[in-house]
Amino acid sequence: MKVHVKWWLAAVVGLTIVGVGATTANAATSSKYLTGNVGYVRTKKAMYVGIYKKTNGKYKQVKVKKNTLLNAESIMSMDDGHGGVKTTALFTYGVVNYKRAKALKYKNIATIPFTKANFKYVTLKAPIRTQVFLNGKGYTANSTNMAAEPTPGFYLTLDNYLQYYSKTAMAKAPFLFGARWAGSTKVYKPTRSVKVSKVTVKGNTTKIDYNKALKGLPNKRLSKGHYRLTITNKKTTGSLGINPTDDTFDAFASWTNYTVNGKAYHFGEVEYGN
């Protein structure tokens, strides 16, 4: 049986990677802590959570406001020395627009007490946020049959920006192309972006409204200064095996099919293995 490894992880062996997950100790976690594989939370009060912002050339720790949306990038549980378990987390703002993201820096270890008194679970009202949507009906192999062929794509940030990446930009973004979701630890400059005015979700369809056409996307003009993307999950999937000519690594791609204003797009990932 072949074991596949996510391509972007294999590419950075030896680097510290912050990921969503949880390390669980054997003892029962104290009831004052949040636990589990948590994604997003909101703060219950103004506090410091290990986020730094660059101002005048220097990074200064930010005191986030009450009700701030945060991504619990990693969660760790450990013995508290009193027969219980202490749970800590590493927080980021998640995937926000490029200009904002470039000015931010985060701790690289889960040290903030993950208490119910300070945080509450939330789910995104628009689940497609941070999903990377790529042009076409699925991945295809490149000319050397060594990897997937880069294609243009886009995603919606947590702070309501559409960020579009051309084929050239995707080819230079190894942590973005081939991954299902954009991440906050690697920031890539989009080819173009636009601020979103409204996002609505109904069933398998998400509608994104904005006031300026974004070249590269199948924009639908509703009126002057009003454009819309209608993103629909087709609930169908596809897969592709890529077998290199030198027999070193093989690749396996899988995806879910979507349409964006009637045009074919896909959401998936590429994995590499021996």
Side-chain angles (χ1 to χ4, degrees), residues 104-179:
L104 298 171
K105 184 172 70 173
Y106 304 109
K107 283 188 175 182
N108 62 1
I109 188 170
T111 60
I112 307 300
F114 199 32
T115 61
K116 295 177 182 178
N118 291 335
F119 305 100
K120 60 182 178 180
Y121 295 140
V122 295
T123 55
L124 299 180
K125 293 181 179 179
I128 67 147
R129 291 185 190 276
T130 78
Q131 284 187 212
V132 181
F133 292 99
L134 300 173
N135 284 57
K137 297 180 179 180
Y139 292 102
T140 59
N142 65 7
S143 59
T144 62
N145 205 44
M146 293 289 288
E149 178 70 18
T151 60
F154 72 94
Y155 61 86
L156 174 64
T157 68
L158 294 170
D159 56 351
N160 287 321
Y161 281 79
L162 279 173
Q163 296 198 160
Y164 167 80
Y165 295 80
S166 67
K167 178 178 179 177
T168 300
M170 276 295 186
K172 296 177 180 179
F175 284 80
L176 189 59
F177 178 75

Side-chain angles (χ1 to χ4, degrees), residues 13-271:
V13 173
L15 299 182
T16 299
I17 300 174
V18 176
V20 177
T23 302
T24 305
N26 292 327
T29 305
S30 168
S31 61
K32 74 176 183 178
Y33 294 104
L34 292 172
T35 58
N37 193 356
V38 182
Y40 297 97
V41 298
R42 286 193 182 276
T43 53
K44 291 185 176 180
K45 66 178 183 181
M47 58 189 299
Y48 294 102
V49 294
I51 296 176
Y52 298 80
K53 183 178 180 181
K54 193 173 186 179
T55 305
N56 297 325
K58 295 182 178 180
Y59 283 99
K60 183 178 179 180
Q61 188 168 191
V62 176
K63 188 174 187 179
V64 301
K65 297 179 181 179
K66 179 181 178 180
N67 209 39
T68 296
L69 178 68
L70 298 173
N71 188 6
E73 296 274 356
S74 69
I75 303 164
M76 182 171 67
S77 295
M78 65 196 79
D79 191 337
D80 67 359
H82 303 285
V85 173
K86 177 181 179 180
T87 302
T88 56
L90 183 154
F91 294 103
T92 73
Y93 283 132
V95 179
V96 294
N97 77 82
Y98 173 78
K99 183 178 180 180
R100 181 183 174 192
K102 284 293 289 181
L104 298 171
K105 184 172 70 173
Y106 304 109
K107 283 188 175 182
N108 62 1
I109 188 170
T111 60
I112 307 300
F114 199 32
T115 61
K116 295 177 182 178
N118 291 335
F119 305 100
K120 60 182 178 180
Y121 295 140
V122 295
T123 55
L124 299 180
K125 293 181 179 179
I128 67 147
R129 291 185 190 276
T130 78
Q131 284 187 212
V132 181
F133 292 99
L134 300 173
N135 284 57
K137 297 180 179 180
Y139 292 102
T140 59
N142 65 7
S143 59
T144 62
N145 205 44
M146 293 289 288
E149 178 70 18
T151 60
F154 72 94
Y155 61 86
L156 174 64
T157 68
L158 294 170
D159 56 351
N160 287 321
Y161 281 79
L162 279 173
Q163 296 198 160
Y164 167 80
Y165 295 80
S166 67
K167 178 178 179 177
T168 300
M170 276 295 186
K172 296 177 180 179
F175 284 80
L176 189 59
F177 178 75
R180 291 184 183 274
W181 292 275
S184 58
T185 55
K186 288 287 182 180
V187 180
Y188 293 100
K189 184 177 182 179
T191 306
R192 287 175 285 276
S193 66
V194 66
K195 177 68 174 176
V196 168
S197 58
K198 184 180 179 181
V199 181
T200 56
V201 181
K202 185 176 182 180
N204 299 329
T205 299
T206 300
K207 295 180 180 180
I208 302 174
D209 290 26
Y210 46 102
N211 61 15
K212 184 180 179 180
L214 195 61
K215 184 179 179 181
L217 295 184
N219 310 277
K220 181 178 180 180
R221 187 176 184 270
L222 300 182
S223 61
K224 184 178 180 180
H226 187 184
Y227 295 84
R228 175 177 290 169
L229 292 184
T230 299
I231 302 173
T232 301
N233 186 342
K234 302 303 291 182
K235 295 290 187 77
T236 60
T237 61
S239 62
L240 173 72
I242 302 171
N243 300 306
T245 55
D246 64 359
D247 199 30
T248 52
F249 290 96
D250 65 352
F252 180 79
S254 59
W255 63 86
T256 301
N257 296 303
Y258 280 74
T259 58
V260 179
N261 285 350
K263 303 293 184 181
Y265 278 74
H266 61 282
F267 157 69
E269 65 182 342
V270 181
E271 300 174 279

Side-chain angles (χ1 to χ4, degrees), residues 1-6 10 249-252 271-274:
M1 179 181 293
K2 293 188 176 182
V3 178
H4 292 282
V5 180
K6 284 186 174 58
F249 290 96
D250 65 352
F252 180 79
E271 300 174 279
Y272 284 91
N274 290 321

